[in-house]
Amino acid sequence: MSDAAPARSSLAVLRGLAPFLRPYRWRVIAAGVALLVASIATLAIPVAFRQLIDVGFAARTLQSEVTAGGRHVDAWFLGLFAVASVLALGTAVRFYFVSWLGERVTADLRSAVYSRVLRQDPIFFESLRGGEVVSRLTADTTLIQTLVGTSVSMGLRNFLLFIGGLVMLLATSARLASLIVGLLFVVIVPILLFGRRVRKLSRASQDRIADSSALAGETLSAIQIVQAYAREAFEAARFRASAEEAFQAAVRRTRARSILTALAIVLVFGAIVFVLWLGAQAVLQGRMSAGELTQFILYAAIVAGSVGALSEVMGDVQRAAGAAERLLELLAAQPHIVGPDAARMALRPAQAAAPVTGRQAGAAVSFDAVNFHYPSRPAEPALVDLNLSVEPGQTIALVGPSGAGKTTVFSLLLRFYDPQSGSIRLDGVDLRDFEPTALRERIGLVSQDSVVFSADVMENIRYGRLEASDDEVRAAAAAAHADEFIDRLPQGYQTYVGERGVRLSGGQRQRIAIARALLKNPPLLLLDEATSALDAQSEQAVQLALEQAMRGRTTLVIAHRLATITGADRIVVFERGRLVDTGTHAELVARGGLYARLAAMQFTQ
């Protein structure tokens, strides 16, 4: 790989951020103009100093010359003040626009990444923890903000000063400038070589930070289990070890950046000092004026300072390139579950794309020779040759031991995964012909682990249908028998429930989740142990509400407590991914088999 390859690679990565800057091109142009004005003002300062020395101070042998020199000094000092004013204005405008761009691009990037992550299917999250996504949304985007809002501006400014300074050095003394240019090309090669290592270490450092964030997020989300098992010290030690790894990676990155900066400054200033020594000899020999040497020294200082700043900016760029790489990976991620392709689009029925409006009749569901295994466990079949038909309005209970395939049925209906073979149809339409969001609008889910967001009760229930009125929310809560406890909360429906609903009991969270599903009013309702977190009294009340809600819609119920599903139209028994029996409660008990054994264990206790 060539020496310049790492720089090209970094720039190629950062070019991926161009779409986020394009909408604000006029602000970019304004910042560029201000940057150019400030750079020109900076490059004008050494010329003023040369005139002060050669015109204002040097020619003072006669009184008239002293008077003229004084007038020249006054004029050049006024000129210096004017240049400084222009420099101040250009710098202020540049700072405002690049800071605005940094904040704006960061916000847009975070939104784009988060939006893309939300559209990923479960396969994506099997290999990437939620905490790592959060780290990329915070730590990595902060690096991008620094890059866009500070480093790029500094880099361009110092690049302009470097080029302008070299041009002015050549104009001041072509011989000395040629020596500096030659020496700079010699010293830049090791700087570029070392920059490759800085980028690699920057990516590794960001990965370790993401690991720490993921570990912390995972632990805090299960804080009650951690405390119940008295594992606070253990988890603190785990996080300490992870933080130490992140620290060591950061130290390696910082050490490399420090060496890069020191190397750049020593080599560049060493070359410039040598050339300036030659310039001093030229002044002593009368081949150069004192003003010219002063101008040359100032431009040499500008060139040296710009190279030193560019080396630091290069470190920021390398680090931001690592962060951008990680963010662009998320932006480039494509979900495995997508809408129909062009060929299927032309053939799909209209109801596959039609939105859900108003009260829906029950949906017809069919599984035809469905075989499925999870992508992470290809050797373990989750469903084997499943054939199942559900008529509109029926209530079907799925029972069987843990791991028998019941929850997999729900995951396939929600199209979190597609089966490896066979087909699943909703109202006669293959699920692959639905847009995933259009399909899921037709399905309501109440999971065993009832999810409640850190908002008030009203907004948690309204999550089922965002446009629902307050009265509709209250009606759904009443149907789920949730209004009984909501009215007793400190602020009623406006009560904040805390993160993950920590201020509510398990039964209260479950009833809010049921109310949310009822508010959505879908044609197909999926209940995964929907009453598992309720006490006997609450379970009876919610069971009555669910029975009322099931009328007129198709309902699939996963139940381990068989007493809750004895009234189902049909009970489907699963074992090791296979449908082994089906019938009513009475029919299955009479036939014997797995269901009869499960019923005997529960009903005789």
Side-chain angles (χ1 to χ4, degrees):
M1 185 178 293
S2 67
D3 296 333
R8 285 201 304 269
S9 178
S10 297
L11 292 176
V13 170
L14 295 176
R15 267 198 297 271
L17 300 175
F20 296 94
L21 282 167
R22 199 169 293 127
Y24 314 111
R25 59 176 65 88
W26 292 112
R27 290 179 182 267
V28 174
I29 292 171
V33 170
L35 176 65
L36 186 62
V37 169
S39 299
I40 292 173
T42 302
L43 292 171
I45 290 175
V47 176
F49 273 100
R50 174 184 175 179
Q51 296 300 321
L52 279 172
I53 292 171
D54 283 350
V55 179
F57 295 145
R60 303 190 56 177
T61 55
L62 300 174
Q63 183 62 37
S64 59
E65 291 176 330
V66 172
T67 303
R71 288 196 297 271
H72 282 301
V73 168
D74 294 341
W76 284 108
F77 268 111
L78 287 173
L80 268 177
F81 179 75
V83 169
S85 300
V86 172
L87 176 61
L89 179 62
T91 301
V93 173
R94 173 189 62 86
F95 175 79
Y96 172 77
F97 279 117
V98 298
S99 298
W100 188 95
L101 286 167
E103 297 288 350
R104 181 71 267 169
V105 168
T106 301
D108 291 349
L109 183 60
R110 282 180 178 146
S111 297
V113 170
Y114 189 65
S115 179
R116 179 55 63 96
V117 168
L118 288 179
R119 286 168 170 75
Q120 301 305 310
D121 42 54
I123 299 173
F124 176 84
F125 294 99
E126 288 179 8
S127 57
L128 189 68
R129 292 180 291 180
E132 183 169 352
V133 174
V134 173
S135 173
R136 296 190 186 191
L137 286 171
T138 53
D140 287 359
T141 52
T142 299
L143 290 176
I144 301 300
Q145 178 183 350
T146 301
L147 177 74
V148 177
T150 303
S151 299
V152 168
S153 173
M154 285 184 58
L156 289 174
R157 175 179 179 274
N158 284 284
F159 178 75
L160 289 174
L161 291 178
F162 175 74
I163 298 299
L166 281 180
V167 170
M168 294 306 294
L169 283 175
L170 287 168
T172 306
S173 175
R175 185 177 68 86
L176 295 181
S178 299
L179 287 173
I180 284 185
V181 171
L183 290 171
L184 284 179
F185 276 113
V186 172
V187 301
I188 282 175
V189 171
I191 294 173
L192 292 176
L193 289 174
F194 207 78
R196 171 200 265 168
R197 176 169 173 77
V198 171
R199 180 183 171 191
K200 182 179 178 182
L201 291 173
S202 296
R203 173 66 190 256
S205 176
Q206 291 305 111
D207 286 342
R208 298 293 78 75
I209 292 172
D211 290 343
S212 295
S213 298
L215 177 61
E218 184 179 52
T219 302
L220 292 175
S221 66
I223 187 63
Q224 292 182 342
I225 297 298
V226 172
Q227 293 177 347
Y229 282 84
R231 292 293 179 264
E232 295 92 337
F234 171 75
E235 293 296 345
R238 277 213 307 163
F239 184 79
R240 194 180 305 115
S242 179
E244 183 63 24
E245 288 185 16
F247 170 74
Q248 294 299 335
V251 167
R252 288 191 292 272
R253 182 202 72 231
T254 304
R255 184 186 301 122
R257 281 195 62 183
S258 300
I259 293 172
L260 176 64
T261 302
L263 182 68
I265 292 174
V266 168
L267 291 177
V268 171
F269 269 92
I272 289 175
V273 167
F274 172 70
V275 173
L276 291 181
W277 176 77
L278 294 177
Q281 298 299 315
V283 171
L284 292 175
Q285 295 169 11
R287 292 184 286 109
M288 194 178 205
S289 71
E292 287 176 325
L293 180 60
T294 301
Q295 179 176 311
F296 192 89
I297 290 173
L298 290 175
Y299 281 125
I302 289 174
V303 170
S306 63
V307 171
L310 283 172
S311 68
E312 289 194 26
V313 169
M314 187 182 299
D316 289 337
V317 169
Q318 299 288 354
R319 192 179 178 196
E325 206 169 21
R326 289 156 47 88
L327 289 166
L328 293 175
E329 283 175 4
L330 293 182
L331 282 174
Q334 296 294 331
H336 293 77
I337 305 301
V338 295
D341 57 28
R344 295 181 71 97
M345 283 275 285
L347 299 173
R348 67 174 178 167
Q351 62 264 41
V356 177
T357 56
R359 175 78 185 190
Q360 300 294 307
V365 178
S366 64
F367 289 75
D368 183 17
V370 170
N371 290 277
F372 174 73
H373 60 75
Y374 287 96
S376 58
R377 303 190 298 274
E380 302 177 23
L383 289 176
V384 180
D385 198 28
L386 174 61
N387 292 279
L388 175 64
S389 294
V390 182
E391 297 300 322
Q394 281 190 326
T395 297
I396 304 298
L398 312 181
V399 301
S402 296
K406 305 182 297 298
T407 302
T408 300
V409 170
F410 281 17
S411 295
L412 293 178
L413 278 172
L414 288 162
R415 214 177 163 215
F416 293 154
Y417 303 92
D418 282 334
Q420 278 78 36
S421 65
S423 65
I424 307 171
R425 297 180 180 276
L426 181 68
D427 289 330
V429 181
D430 193 309
L431 298 193
R432 293 184 180 90
D433 291 328
F434 281 96
E435 291 292 342
T437 52
L439 169 67
R440 293 161 190 164
E441 285 290 344
R442 291 164 164 78
I443 302 174
L445 172 67
V446 180
S447 62
Q448 183 174 4
D449 180 19
S450 52
V451 175
V452 178
F453 300 98
S454 55
D456 61 32
V457 173
M458 181 73 73
E459 294 308 310
N460 265 287
I461 299 176
R462 187 178 275 122
Y463 199 80
R465 184 156 52 90
L466 298 178
E467 70 277 10
S469 66
D470 289 355
D471 289 340
E472 289 174 316
V473 171
R474 290 187 174 91
H481 288 249
D483 57 339
E484 301 172 356
F485 76 84
I486 294 174
D487 289 335
R488 296 195 301 269
L489 294 174
Q491 285 84 40
Y493 282 85
Q494 277 65 52
T495 301
Y496 176 72
V497 299
E499 187 175 4
R500 299 178 64 87
V502 294
R503 297 182 181 181
L504 302 176
S505 68
Q508 290 171 338
R509 289 197 299 270
Q510 193 70 303
R511 279 186 274 177
I512 285 179
I514 293 170
R516 180 190 300 150
L518 295 178
L519 181 66
K520 187 177 184 181
N521 196 19
L524 177 59
L525 185 61
L526 306 181
L527 306 177
D528 186 358
E529 288 287 347
T531 61
S532 63
L534 306 179
D535 55 43
Q537 182 178 356
S538 298
E539 179 182 339
Q540 183 179 13
V542 172
Q543 194 67 35
L544 291 173
L546 289 175
E547 290 174 5
Q548 179 69 25
M550 291 174 189
R551 295 176 184 174
R553 62 162 53 88
T554 304
T555 307
L556 271 63
V557 184
I558 293 176
H560 291 290
R561 296 160 67 177
L562 303 184
T564 63
I565 48 92
T566 55
D569 295 315
R570 190 152 39 109
I571 298 172
V572 179
V573 185
F574 285 86
E575 185 176 21
R576 296 182 180 178
R578 297 178 183 273
L579 193 160
V580 296
D581 209 349
T582 182
T584 65
H585 171 73
E587 291 170 346
L588 292 171
V589 170
R591 272 203 297 268
L594 175 60
Y595 182 83
R597 293 196 300 273
L598 293 173
M601 285 187 290
Q602 292 194 22
F603 291 115
T604 58
Q605 291 179 350

